[in-house]
DNA sequence: CTGAAAGCGCTTACAG
DNA sequence: CTGAAAGCGCTTACAG
């Protein structure tokens, strides 16, 4: 040894002593931990954990005592830690194009209510109507390790579908229909909606139909059904105005002159939403066109106020509340271990408010 | 020693060997971890972490290599772990009474968009209109350790306000006004809305006003402003129908006869929402009452469709989008370290659609 | 620009 | 019914 002089260490230092571990403070106490509660209540941390997650397994008086300490201290468990440890985030992601002025908001409302009654919380992810950044959005969502996912519409890209399938958590697609769902599905066929509206128009003797719609996936499916059904009846010329979402009353207003320019004899318009329909209706009135005798107008969504203020409109009603509740139930069943796949067609109904 | 026969242990077992730690498997691999990426990329886990959280601090070619491995493997970081470790959940909670058929949905829409652009995600918590379980809801929210909270309305109970103040994260109250905000606030005075509507009515020469409203906090504030302003003008008798939320067109319809029963000379109605106003208007028409000449009706919310379909209605407009954006900005500034308090009165405007 | 060690606050899997 | 030890998958705080 090059240097065997006595060291400066205290007398009790031992030759074999491991290097003292560097104490790295991480910024001091951030708040109450489960150990704080345990110490005050005179139990182990595990018991405190059980009080929250499995109270039946704790003796009644222990339970009571711990609960009082929890309440007195104002302790709130850290679910980031709990989720990491248990692999149960108790989080469900809801991916929706938009919740503003939208049919989806009531679906999300009841979905969220149902989920929170079952002890889950909802992470809201707004996808917009473009799918440019959907991969990024999905990364953000999956990084929270949700235990289930509600999708609005059927996922478009194969890559997305593949990824969702592979995470191995229950997925429920809503508000649309497909033969190849990722997992579960609660929705209806927009294609058939289009067909059904076309049939109504045909039954009325419509010869020169038009359509106004935003260009989101489901609206396109409705348009396709509409067009194809009309084509089978020999009608191929359809006036068409396609706009970027979100649709609105004012877009409806401006679209009518465009449709009339394409088809001066226009006698029916299928609108992508009730808002568009209201706009078209208002503009028709302004031009002295009688609805529905000269121009039939069909909307989509069956908004309550529309039925009150615009009884001349026909529309397509969908039970958004039922979709939300069913979607929640599907996920919850799976989370309880039920394994069956599940596709529910909730259908739709055409609301003819005023006899033709 | 009672038993010093040779043991059955292998020859290399040592007397001093510490008790072999029990290996407790936790269920095997749940998915890719940061160490998997690190191993493939030939770097340490910390470097992979930096690629996600602080890419500027990583050499360009290391960055590129790690990113390729991440992409190839499909690795998604676990933010439960990340959040626990860093005390940064990147989560913002939005507590809203309801998002269905509601003015709040557009606030939440833009709030959520703004937040996600800044790298945060929104945890949606629906409080309903009762505050019975608000403590429970808050526990659920705080257990996720959000970095900020948006509240709709000003929190009611002292206990709630105290708890929110104590968590030490930025809080923004919205859609209401108070002299004693918990922290930041973006809203307007519902009391003043009520006063302003009363003044419009007085200016019209109204003598026998009534009101229909749901009984949520903000509606009550509007009613109070309305009543007190009228009282100052000597009007104390006000017909009144108070209903449980959510309000709707059909409730509006049924309320008019009730108001007329209380005050047969009824010449104005202040409604808690545009939906109620539309219902009242429809019922008035049905009874041959001209609006606004015989009966003035004022709603709340300025829904776009109402202006198109019911120009006879007056209403109160509020910029919900601005509230959402401002609330998001307030929170984001704080999260960046700016310390100033912030109270924004976004005001409101009365929309008189048809000249009296 | 990069890494080894320690720690975030819980829960699991045992054992008693 | 209760608890000591280990581990969940990251990031911090250093050190180089």
């Amino acid at each position: 040894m090059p240097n065997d002089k006595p060291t400066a260490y205290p007398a009790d230092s031992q030759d074999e002593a491991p290097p003292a571990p560097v104490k790295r403070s991480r910024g001091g106490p951030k708040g109450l931990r489960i150990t704080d509660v345990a110490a005050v209540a005179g139990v182990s941390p595990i018991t405190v954990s059980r009080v929250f997650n499995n109270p039946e397994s704790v003796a009644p008086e222990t339970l009571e005592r711990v609960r009082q300490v929890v309440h007195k201290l104002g302790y709130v468990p850290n679910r980031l830690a709990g989720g990491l440890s248990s692999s149960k985030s108790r989080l469900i992601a809801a991916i929706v194009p938009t919740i503003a002025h939208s049919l989806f908001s009531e679906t999300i409302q009841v979905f969220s209510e149902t989920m929170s009654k079952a002890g889950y919380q909802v992470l809201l992810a707004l996808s917009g109507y473009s799918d440019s950044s959907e991969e990024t959005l999905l990364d953000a969502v999956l990084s929270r390790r949700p235990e289930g996912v509600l999708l609005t519409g059927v996922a478009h890209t194969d890559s997305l579908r593949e990824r969702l399938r592979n995470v191995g958590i229950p997925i429920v697609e809503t508000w649309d229909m497909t033969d190849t769902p990722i997992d579960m599905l609660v929705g209806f066929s927009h294609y058939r909606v289009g067909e059904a509206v076309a049939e109504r128009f045909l039954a009325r003797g419509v010869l020169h139909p038009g359509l106004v719609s935003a260009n989101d996936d489901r609206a396109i499916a409705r348009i396709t059904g509409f067009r194809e059904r009309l084509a089978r009846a020999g009608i191929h010329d359809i006036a068409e105005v396609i706009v970027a979402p979100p649709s609105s009353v004012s877009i409806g207003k401006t679209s009518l002159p465009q449709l009339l320019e394409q088809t001066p004899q226009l006698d029916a318009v299928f609108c992508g939403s009730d808002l568009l329909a209201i706009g078209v209706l208002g503009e028709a009135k302004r031009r002295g066109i009688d609805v529905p005798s000269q121009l039939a107008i069909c909307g989509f969504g069956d908004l309550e106020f529309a039925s009150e203020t615009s009884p001349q409109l026909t529309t397509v009603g969908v039970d958004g509340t039922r979709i939300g509740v069913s979607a929640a139930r599907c996920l919850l069943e799976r989370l309880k271990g039920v394994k069956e796949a599940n596709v529910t067609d909730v259908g739709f109904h055409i609301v003819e408010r005023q006899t033709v």
Side-chain angles (χ1 to χ4, degrees), chain A:
Chain A
M1 272 183 164
N3 183 349
D4 51 9
K5 285 184 291 187
T7 70
Y9 289 122
D12 61 343
S13 79
Q14 296 163 11
D15 287 349
E16 303 292 311
V22 189
K23 228 346 189 194
R24 289 157 207 265
S25 156
R26 299 197 114 218
K30 311 260 167 34
L32 288 169
R33 290 150 308 185
I34 205 169
T35 49
D36 299 317
V37 175
V40 175
V43 295
S44 75
I46 309 140
T47 300
V48 179
S49 170
R50 287 193 185 106
V51 167
F52 285 101
N53 301 313
N54 196 12
E56 316 83 61
S57 74
V58 178
E61 60 181 36
T62 309
L63 191 62
E64 181 57 21
R65 182 158 35 100
V66 172
R67 279 186 172 153
Q68 294 202 343
V69 173
V70 165
H71 189 252
K72 200 182 68 189
L73 263 40
Y75 169 71
V76 178
N78 182 331
R79 283 217 61 83
L80 297 173
L84 174 60
S85 186
S86 66
S87 302
K88 289 195 176 67
S89 65
R90 294 255 139 200
L91 228 38
I92 303 287
I95 303 180
V96 193
T98 166
I99 58 162
H101 345 90
S102 140
L103 302 167
F104 306 137
S105 65
E106 71 178 354
T107 297
I108 298 304
Q109 172 80 22
V110 296
F111 178 77
S112 178
E113 284 169 0
T114 309
M115 279 305 178
S116 67
K117 272 174 207 150
Y120 292 85
Q121 284 174 271
V122 172
L123 190 72
L124 184 66
L126 302 176
S127 58
Y129 277 102
S130 76
D131 50 13
S132 63
S133 63
E134 278 207 326
E135 293 280 351
T136 312
L137 187 74
L138 187 60
D139 281 349
V141 163
L142 294 181
S143 76
R144 305 289 173 180
R145 300 297 188 263
E147 296 184 52
V149 177
L150 174 145
L151 289 172
T152 311
V154 297
H156 336 282
T157 68
D158 286 344
S159 142
L160 218 60
R161 304 180 68 77
E162 198 53 37
R163 286 187 65 192
L164 281 164
R165 223 186 296 266
N166 287 341
V167 283
I169 56 176
I171 310 281
V172 57
E173 295 170 281
T174 64
W175 275 96
D176 205 346
M177 189 50 69
T178 173
D179 289 335
T180 56
I182 296 174
D183 181 8
M184 299 179 288
L185 185 148
V186 182
F188 61 96
S189 165
H190 291 259
Y191 183 91
R192 290 222 195 108
V193 168
E195 285 185 322
V197 173
E199 279 161 17
R200 290 288 166 129
F201 282 176
L202 290 169
R204 280 182 57 90
V206 162
L207 291 173
H208 305 287
L211 64 89
V212 201
S213 177
N215 63 350
D216 70 85
D217 287 352
R218 285 164 294 284
I220 297 297
R222 291 194 295 272
I223 291 171
T224 307
F226 184 69
R227 288 191 155 287
E228 295 189 357
R229 183 64 190 81
L230 290 173
R232 269 177 266 143
I235 298 179
H236 302 274
D237 254 22
I238 300 171
E240 180 174 303
V241 174
I242 302 290
V243 300
S247 60
S248 65
V249 173
S250 63
I251 293 176
K253 281 197 240 187
T254 57
S255 65
L256 182 57
Q258 298 176 53
L259 292 172
L260 286 170
E261 197 169 323
Q262 292 177 45
T263 306
Q265 324 93 301
L266 190 76
D267 53 8
V269 185
F270 179 26
C271 302
S273 71
D274 277 5
L275 291 181
L276 289 172
I278 287 170
V280 172
L281 172 62
E283 185 60 25
K285 277 186 186 162
R286 218 160 286 124
R287 291 168 175 252
I289 301 171
D290 187 68
V291 177
S293 70
Q294 291 177 269
L295 182 70
I297 304 178
C298 182
F300 181 81
D302 190 21
L303 299 180
E304 191 202 13
F305 64 82
S307 98
E308 177 66 20
T309 60
S310 313
Q312 309 93 321
L313 297 179
T314 294
T315 191
V316 179
V318 177
D319 192 342
T321 295
R322 184 176 162 204
I323 292 178
V325 173
S326 296
R329 288 203 186 130
C330 285
L331 288 179
L332 289 171
E333 294 239 317
R334 269 296 175 71
L335 291 167
K336 281 183 208 142
V338 184
K339 281 294 164 208
E340 56 183 308
N342 215 323
V343 171
T344 308
D345 189 334
V346 299
F348 57 88
H349 52 280
I350 292 195
V351 186
E352 200 100 48
R353 296 193 180 105
Q354 187 167 291
T355 315
V356 184

